[in-house]
Amino acid sequence: MRYLTVHDVIWINTAVTGSPQRYDFDRLENAVYSQYAYGQSRDVLAQGARLLARLLRDKPFEQGSELTALVATMVFLRLNGYTLQMGADEVQSVLAQLTQGQLRAIELISQRVQPTAPADDALRHVVAQVCQQLHLPMRAALAEVH
């Protein structure tokens, strides 16, 4: 099982927003730790749903919390052998449904996830792949940051 760290999520936020953002460390740390589940540590989909829901609810970043939540969740799933099927034209609608309570994170994931081989790539490459899938304006220079 591969998990995202607080630093990974900060990097993802910088990649999707194009610049470093202020954040509330306690909210961010709590959201990131929601990936872990004692007694359910092999349920990747539930762990991804908790990560998405918590990042959306806590909004730890000054800008880009919602998009960071989606990309981080998609990266977490991809690292652990799942792909969340979503087109670039759906991102804003799905995020609005999630934040307005019209769609639960676990519903989104269970409806749209497909098993795949776990990504063996470095985090930055997986983030770049997800951003490309969603047609996000990730700066090329950020994709090369370690």
Side-chain angles (χ1 to χ4, degrees):
M1 178 77 66
R2 289 177 66 185
Y3 296 100
L4 298 179
T5 66
V6 168
H7 291 96
D8 293 337
V9 177
I10 291 170
W11 189 88
I12 290 169
N13 176 262
T14 303
V16 300
T17 62
S19 63
Q21 301 296 316
R22 292 180 189 264
Y23 57 90
D24 181 308
F25 184 81
D26 290 338
R27 287 182 183 177
L28 179 58
E29 184 179 49
N30 285 333
V32 169
Y33 285 126
S34 68
Q35 296 169 91
Y36 305 99
Y38 299 107
Q40 295 180 337
S41 62
R42 296 186 191 271
D43 191 344
V44 174
L45 304 184
Q47 290 171 289
R50 279 193 305 279
L51 176 65
L52 177 58
R54 191 66 181 259
L55 281 169
L56 287 171
R57 186 184 76 203
D58 289 354
K59 297 182 175 134
F61 295 99
E62 193 171 88
Q63 293 182 26
S65 287
E66 291 85 2
L67 198 50
T68 299
L70 181 61
V71 172
T73 301
M74 291 176 75
V75 168
F76 170 78
L77 292 170
R78 181 70 183 92
L79 290 171
N80 290 293
Y82 295 92
T83 299
L84 187 63
Q85 302 296 319
M86 182 175 305
D89 59 330
E90 301 175 280
V91 171
Q92 293 306 316
S93 173
V94 167
L95 286 174
Q97 290 175 42
L98 287 165
T99 58
Q100 294 169 7
Q102 298 167 345
L103 178 65
R104 292 180 30 224
I106 191 66
E107 293 169 337
L108 171 71
I109 290 172
S110 63
Q111 292 169 2
R112 293 178 176 240
V113 76
Q114 295 293 320
T116 188
D120 289 332
D121 299 334
L123 176 74
R124 67 183 179 272
H125 293 129
V126 178
V127 172
Q129 292 168 356
V130 169
C131 287
Q132 185 175 32
Q133 174 187 342
L134 299 177
H135 299 261
L136 297 177
M138 182 177 165
R139 296 184 183 186
L142 288 175
E144 298 306 318
V145 174
H146 297 298

